[in-house]
Amino acid sequence: MDLARMLDRCRRDQWEVGEIDWESPPRPLSVADEVAFVQHFSDMAGIERLAAALFAEQRDRASCPVLREVFATFVADELRHADVAERLARRFDVHGYRAYRMNPALVRFTPHFVDTVRHLSAEVANVYITTGELILDVALLRSLNDAVADPVCAQAMERINRDESRHIAVDFHMIDYYSSPAYQADEARRPPRPLRRRLRAWWAFANTFRHAAPFFREVFFRTMDRVDPTGRRLVEAFKRIQLVSAKPQVARRPFVRFLSFMQGTFEHPLLGPLFGPLVVRILGIEARVLVTLTTEAERRRAREQSFDDMAAEALALKHGV
Ligand SMILES: [Fe+2]
Ligand SMILES: [Fe+2]
């Protein structure tokens, strides 16, 4: 990837919340829809702020100045998305049926997650960020936009999608970088981190796992069931993650090996029934996306594809599925 060109694109494609025409009133909604949409957008604001915090970590750790600038624009993008989500929540809150607060599971999960990303390796952070962005882009935002069927929301989502396209392209570029021999050689040269820091990292990690399951269930899976009952986009998003993990250089990374081990245990004919529920509890994702979603032919193709092409294909899904 040409990072200098990416940075130009990041700067050129900046936009303002005020560009969106917020004036026209929303269509009439049922009580249940109004309450659900306002809640979804309130949660979306929290997720976007979380994304901003994660990119701020990546920005602070990037050694390449151009990459640091790219991440700085991503932080601005995610904060803008959070503002838009709040505006959308206000827009649909026509009757004020109740007070809306961010989902408590999301509130509990956020500080541990940010802490994990801060203390654990940047590589693990990137796996989470890429996963989160794929889920958000390929599945959640698109389904939410369809369910809401509102021209103002559509305008906002179109702009958000443009930003997210850049994010996903860079997320995949970073996976490529972290699985490269150059990064691994760099890592091998680095002195081991002090025990205190390592314990701190693992403590944050354990807490993330503890809070991940209720967060995914309440903010993500339950919302998806409502806005996309077929579950197609959900499966597509997780499939992208499985495909990138099929690349041998990615599959060899310790964190990806751990995830594959968990999946292997879950699908094992003898171990699955015994330890499956524990795997589901630890990873926090549901059985329907924990199973193998790819075919051998798809995995073979993924192994030969470039990371840029994989990112482009994931992005194309946003419009095609
Ligand atoms: Fe975003
Ligand atoms: Fe993003």
Side-chain angles (χ1 to χ4, degrees):
M1 175 184 283
D2 183 339
L3 281 175
R5 261 182 61 194
M6 174 53 83
L7 180 57
D8 282 345
R9 223 176 106 192
C10 292
R11 287 177 172 152
R12 193 192 59 213
D13 288 355
Q14 291 297 307
W15 53 281
E16 306 277 336
V17 179
E19 282 172 28
I20 296 167
D21 166 27
W22 296 98
E23 292 311 311
S24 61
R27 67 184 168 92
L29 293 173
S30 67
V31 178
D33 276 349
E34 179 173 319
V35 169
F37 293 158
V38 178
Q39 186 60 51
H40 293 333
F41 285 118
S42 306
D43 292 340
M44 179 184 154
I47 297 173
E48 300 287 357
R49 293 233 155 76
L50 176 57
L54 302 184
F55 279 128
E57 278 301 315
Q58 300 233 83
R59 173 199 61 201
D60 296 345
R61 286 186 195 203
S63 48
C64 160
V66 181
L67 193 58
R68 201 177 311 138
E69 282 302 305
V70 167
F71 283 132
T73 69
F74 288 1
V75 173
D77 293 342
E78 301 296 12
L79 291 175
R80 190 187 319 113
H81 301 170
D83 286 348
V84 168
E86 268 162 10
R87 291 280 289 254
L88 286 168
R90 282 208 298 277
R91 171 175 171 75
F92 292 106
D93 188 11
V94 174
H95 298 91
Y97 291 124
R98 64 173 173 85
Y100 298 88
R101 257 177 299 140
M102 218 194 288
N103 188 298
L106 170 60
V107 175
R108 277 193 294 272
F109 175 75
T110 297
H112 297 297
F113 191 30
V114 174
D115 224 29
T116 298
V117 167
R118 185 165 303 152
H119 295 289
L120 224 63
S121 74
E123 178 192 354
V124 175
N126 187 57
V127 171
Y128 272 115
I129 291 166
T130 310
T131 307
E133 295 223 286
L134 282 174
I135 294 171
L136 211 67
D137 284 349
V138 174
L140 189 60
L141 291 190
R142 186 150 181 243
S143 302
L144 192 53
N145 188 36
D146 288 353
V148 170
D150 172 67
V152 173
C153 179
Q155 273 185 49
M157 291 297 182
E158 203 191 298
R159 286 170 169 82
I160 288 177
N161 266 330
R162 219 164 48 205
D163 296 342
E164 298 298 349
S165 302
R166 301 191 299 277
H167 300 182
I168 288 195
V170 173
D171 291 337
F172 274 78
H173 166 77
M174 294 307 288
I175 297 182
D176 188 5
Y177 166 68
Y178 288 127
S179 55
S180 68
Y183 171 75
Q184 284 158 47
D186 227 42
E187 213 190 19
R189 270 195 302 273
R190 225 169 284 151
R193 287 180 307 165
L195 181 64
R196 238 188 91 143
R197 266 207 75 189
R198 268 181 291 159
L199 287 175
R200 179 94 181 70
W202 285 106
W203 174 246
F205 207 29
N207 271 308
T208 290
F209 277 130
R210 188 155 71 91
H211 293 287
F215 161 65
F216 288 149
R217 191 175 55 239
E218 287 177 36
V219 178
F220 184 63
F221 287 109
R222 209 180 279 164
T223 308
M224 281 308 296
D225 285 341
R226 200 190 143 82
V227 294
D228 176 29
T230 66
R232 264 179 322 152
R233 286 175 186 153
L234 189 69
V235 166
E236 257 323 313
F238 277 93
K239 195 169 154 182
R240 295 295 124 189
I241 298 154
Q242 292 189 8
L243 282 174
V244 72
S245 310
K247 289 178 95 59
Q249 66 272 47
V250 178
R252 275 195 297 270
R253 304 304 299 150
F255 187 58
V256 177
R257 272 204 333 250
F258 161 72
L259 295 176
S260 306
F261 168 76
M262 296 295 259
Q263 190 191 27
T265 306
F266 183 78
E267 290 192 296
H268 191 275
L270 298 175
L271 299 175
L274 276 176
F275 298 107
L278 183 67
V279 170
V280 169
R281 176 64 193 87
I282 291 176
L283 295 184
I285 56 173
E286 292 182 358
R288 55 185 156 151
V289 290
L290 194 51
V291 292
T292 302
L293 302 167
T294 57
T295 63
E296 180 48 45
E298 286 169 331
R299 290 194 292 276
R300 202 176 320 123
R301 190 164 162 268
R303 272 178 227 131
E304 281 151 22
Q305 250 180 337
S306 72
F307 285 90
D308 284 354
D309 287 347
M310 289 191 106
E313 222 175 74
L315 287 167
L317 278 171
K318 289 207 296 196
H319 310 287
V321 185

